[in-house]
Amino acid sequence: MENEANISIYRAARTIKRRQNTLYNALRSIYDDSIFVGEISQLWPQLPLLANLRCGLWYSSKFHSTCYFKSTDGHTNNWSFNTSRLNLHVALLAGQKGGCIIVDSTRKGKRFPDSMSKTIPIWTCVLNRSVYNYRKKMCNGGVVLAKGNASDEHEKSTSQFTADWDCSLHLPLWVLDTEKAAIDDRVEEWIKELDASGADIVSLASCLKKPLQPLWISQKTVIWLNEVPDHDSWDFTPIILVSASSQSGIIQNRTTSEFSWNYIPGAGDDEESWARGLTPNLFWKNAYDLINSGPDICNQQVADIVEKDRVYRAQRGQIAPQVIKSSKLSGNSSDLFHVEPPLSSDISDLNIDLKASDESCTISWLGSTNLAVGTSQHAAEERNVDCILNCDQESITVCLSNAEAYLHLPMVNSKLDRFSLLRNLPSAVNFAKLNISKGKTLLICCHGGEDISVCVCLAILTSLFDDEGIFDDGKSFNQTRITKLEMRRRLVFICKFASNARPSRGNLKQVFSFLGGGSVDLV
């Protein structure tokens, strides 16, 4: 009897939460929070605005770029500096522009997500100390500048840099001193991992004029508008962390002249559970109509917008998965929708200005390797490539003169099939070897251009290229036992050019299993 009562209370709580977390409530909450984000970005209009994927992407229509700092890397006693998510493009962009603003949010009753409280502060500290170590070696004559001779003036300025360079770990006041000390004890270990990863610290050291330092701004932060400092006046490069949502973890009822609705903190989080196929890009294209339509017709409006976009894409031969009702859901939750196959956040069409960094996060060429990764949507329109390896579930129409220059190997995420990549990697590597050995360029694409295509490219790069990124037909691979460290070094090389790369752990495991399975045979 007691168990039945507990179950009933649980079901009642879930039902109430589901009714409060409606689509309109989520979109209206995001819209209200975006006003705050816009106000903060206008305080420092010269600084680029970045979205921390994926939640942060909902809170503005005008992002300069994106980044990927995970909260799990900042969880207590689970702190990590992940070389698979270096985000070096953020540091380089901050160095070029004098700082940057990063937007994220959290549903919990916190002012900031752990990605902002600890992950990013750890990241800034490790990079600062790594740059300091490099400049110290340069002052001592241990490192030669890549561009040749160093002038006396440059050596003096470098010496001054190292003297004033702040290497401290800067954490917010609410992080306990004991936790700060525990994190600080591990920083040297993370610096060694960074150095071993082969990351381009030389470029970072030449770009950063001041050390990186995080600043935290939430809706509770008091800012005197007549005393806002110019970002150039600080003796550090500011990484301004903006938590978009209100601090309260309690759903608040709000009322306008026309509608009553419930405010949801961190509404942009976990979009698969509420967005019904709507992407940030589609939302901001139709934000005015959606917000002013009210809660009664919002669901139907979103369905119409998503279907209209799907038809538009399908007519142009683009990937257009259909939004359908989930057969797994029943009862009161039958009105929830999901997308098959799962959609990643639609970054490729978002209004992102990348002139100061990578002009397109859709096609990224990896140095002089003749390899590129990108989205299948843009691969269909790409004409400056000899061969295309399509890893998306759907085939595409390509602009290639030779039909043999196109190979479609449908692959899905490891959450749907744990061995999808592993089964297809031998064919992918053989296709790459056959074409790259003839001096041809190869584009590897998937739906989002950030996970599966990156992992396939990693397998090809490791199997067929040496440490210098030169094609050697698999000779060095056959003579080397691939370790996780070596694979991580290759991944860092890819991320240097494809800043939007976000390979999942499950897919990386499959790549490692493939690379550890034997030699590369000649085709």
Side-chain angles (χ1 to χ4, degrees):
M1 190 73 179
E2 187 176 338
N3 288 338
E4 291 181 5
N6 290 336
I7 292 174
S8 298
I9 293 172
Y10 173 76
R11 286 179 176 173
R14 293 283 293 177
T15 301
I16 293 171
K17 184 177 180 181
R18 190 160 52 238
R19 287 176 180 173
Q20 291 173 332
N21 291 351
T22 64
L23 181 58
Y24 182 81
N25 287 342
L27 296 179
R28 184 62 192 250
S29 302
I30 289 170
Y31 184 80
D32 273 26
D33 290 339
S34 72
I35 296 173
F36 168 70
V37 172
E39 290 172 348
I40 297 301
S41 66
Q42 287 304 307
L43 295 180
W44 296 279
Q46 302 90 349
L47 298 185
L49 188 67
L50 280 70
N52 192 32
L53 297 175
R54 290 180 303 167
C55 179
L57 199 60
W58 287 90
Y59 290 93
S60 177
S61 60
K62 297 179 180 179
F63 281 112
H64 183 100
S65 186
T66 61
C67 56
Y68 188 43
F69 294 97
K70 291 192 70 173
S71 286
T72 52
D73 291 337
H75 287 176
T76 303
N77 296 323
N78 192 42
W79 316 290
S80 175
F81 179 83
N82 199 314
T83 52
S84 299
R85 297 183 287 272
L86 275 181
N87 290 290
L88 279 184
H89 68 288
V90 178
L92 292 169
L93 185 60
Q96 293 168 5
K97 298 292 186 177
C100 68
I101 303 172
I102 298 177
V103 178
D104 202 353
S105 184
T106 180
R107 283 199 174 196
K108 299 177 182 177
K110 300 179 180 179
R111 290 178 66 183
F112 294 86
D114 284 340
S115 60
M116 290 185 164
S117 295
K118 284 168 275 188
T119 304
I120 294 178
I122 288 171
W123 173 80
T124 58
C125 179
V126 172
L127 292 187
N128 283 338
R129 293 194 191 182
S130 186
V131 168
Y132 173 81
N133 291 341
Y134 169 76
R135 286 181 169 157
K136 190 175 181 181
K137 289 179 182 177
M138 203 165 66
C139 285
N140 296 334
V143 174
V144 180
L145 286 175
K147 293 185 178 180
N149 297 327
S151 65
D152 291 339
E153 291 183 4
H154 185 84
E155 289 180 1
K156 289 180 181 178
S157 63
T158 302
S159 179
Q160 184 63 33
F161 275 137
T162 55
D164 299 335
W165 199 259
D166 182 8
C167 294
S168 304
L169 174 63
H170 294 276
L171 292 170
L173 296 176
W174 56 86
V175 176
L176 298 176
D177 290 341
T178 52
E179 186 174 6
K180 180 178 180 180
I183 294 173
D184 213 354
D185 288 342
R186 297 194 57 188
V187 170
E188 289 303 318
E189 169 193 338
W190 293 325
I191 293 173
K192 291 178 182 177
E193 291 179 7
L194 176 62
D195 293 340
S197 71
D200 189 6
I201 301 301
V202 178
S203 296
L204 184 60
S206 63
C207 181
L208 276 180
K209 301 298 184 286
K210 304 174 185 177
L212 302 168
Q213 184 173 320
L215 298 174
W216 295 268
I217 295 179
S218 72
Q219 293 197 24
K220 293 288 186 179
T221 304
V222 177
I223 300 176
W224 301 101
L225 296 181
N226 61 334
E227 297 180 5
V228 176
D230 188 86
H231 68 278
D232 286 334
S233 65
W234 289 315
D235 58 357
F236 54 86
T237 302
I239 306 294
I240 300 174
L241 307 178
V242 178
S243 183
S245 295
S246 174
Q247 179 182 356
S248 174
I250 302 172
I251 295 178
Q252 311 161 21
N253 184 268
R254 298 186 180 182
T255 304
T256 65
S257 58
E258 296 178 317
F259 311 116
S260 176
W261 55 283
N262 292 319
Y263 173 77
I264 305 173
D269 193 23
D270 192 23
E271 61 191 54
E272 290 89 351
S273 66
W274 60 267
R276 305 187 181 210
L278 191 71
T279 64
N281 179 53
L282 287 176
F283 168 62
W284 286 108
K285 283 182 178 178
N286 302 275
Y288 181 83
D289 292 335
L290 287 171
I291 296 304
N292 288 282
S293 66
D296 294 337
I297 63 173
C298 179
N299 289 8
Q300 186 57 50
Q301 273 202 315
V302 168
D304 293 342
I305 290 168
V306 171
E307 178 61 16
K308 183 179 178 181
D309 180 69
R310 188 192 70 80
V311 172
Y312 176 86
R313 291 176 180 271
Q315 289 174 344
R316 285 153 182 78
Q318 299 172 3
I319 306 302
Q322 189 168 9
V323 179
I324 61 175
K325 284 187 179 181
S326 173
S327 59
K328 297 180 182 179
L329 300 173
S330 58
N332 292 333
S333 61
S334 61
D335 62 327
L336 296 178
F337 288 70
H338 76 292
V339 179
E340 290 189 353
L343 279 171
S344 60
S345 294
D346 188 1
I347 305 171
S348 57
D349 293 331
L350 200 66
N351 183 18
I352 293 178
D353 175 18
L354 294 175
K355 292 179 181 178
S357 54
D358 212 56
E359 178 160 25
S360 75
C361 59
T362 53
I363 303 293
S364 302
W365 289 95
L366 310 184
S368 58
T369 61
N370 280 346
L371 292 174
V373 293
T375 64
S376 48
Q377 174 185 338
H378 288 81
E381 304 166 358
E382 182 63 37
R383 298 180 182 275
N384 298 321
V385 66
D386 299 323
C387 310
I388 294 178
L389 171 57
N390 180 18
C391 306
D392 207 334
Q393 294 184 62
E394 302 292 333
S395 185
I396 58 176
T397 303
V398 296
C399 307
L400 300 174
S401 57
N402 186 358
E404 294 182 355
Y406 174 75
L407 177 63
H408 180 214
L409 293 174
M411 304 183 203
V412 296
N413 192 278
S414 59
K415 291 183 179 180
L416 301 176
D417 184 346
R418 290 187 300 161
F419 305 105
S420 179
L421 265 74
L422 194 58
R423 286 195 302 269
N424 288 285
L425 283 177
S427 299
V429 171
N430 281 334
F431 178 75
K433 179 193 287 188
L434 179 66
N435 289 284
I436 297 175
S437 62
K438 298 175 182 177
K440 296 182 178 180
T441 56
L442 172 64
L443 169 60
I444 306 145
C445 63
C446 64
H447 176 73
E450 58 190 23
D451 186 2
I452 293 177
S453 58
V454 171
C455 289
V456 173
C457 183
L458 176 61
I460 292 171
L461 187 69
T462 308
S463 300
L464 303 177
F465 291 76
D466 63 15
D467 291 339
E468 304 298 324
I470 300 173
F471 178 77
D472 67 355
D473 214 23
K475 293 178 182 177
S476 60
F477 174 72
N478 292 335
Q479 298 170 0
T480 307
R481 180 179 175 274
I482 299 299
T483 62
K484 289 185 178 181
L485 176 60
E486 180 58 32
M487 194 176 85
R488 194 176 295 123
R489 287 173 60 89
R490 303 297 179 105
L491 180 58
V492 168
F493 174 81
I494 294 174
C495 293
K496 176 182 176 181
F497 301 97
S499 59
N500 64 314
R502 294 194 298 147
S504 64
R505 185 180 180 186
N507 288 340
L508 287 174
K509 280 185 175 181
Q510 294 179 69
V511 174
F512 185 68
S513 296
F514 167 75
L515 296 174
S519 62
V520 177
D521 298 324
L522 295 175
V523 179

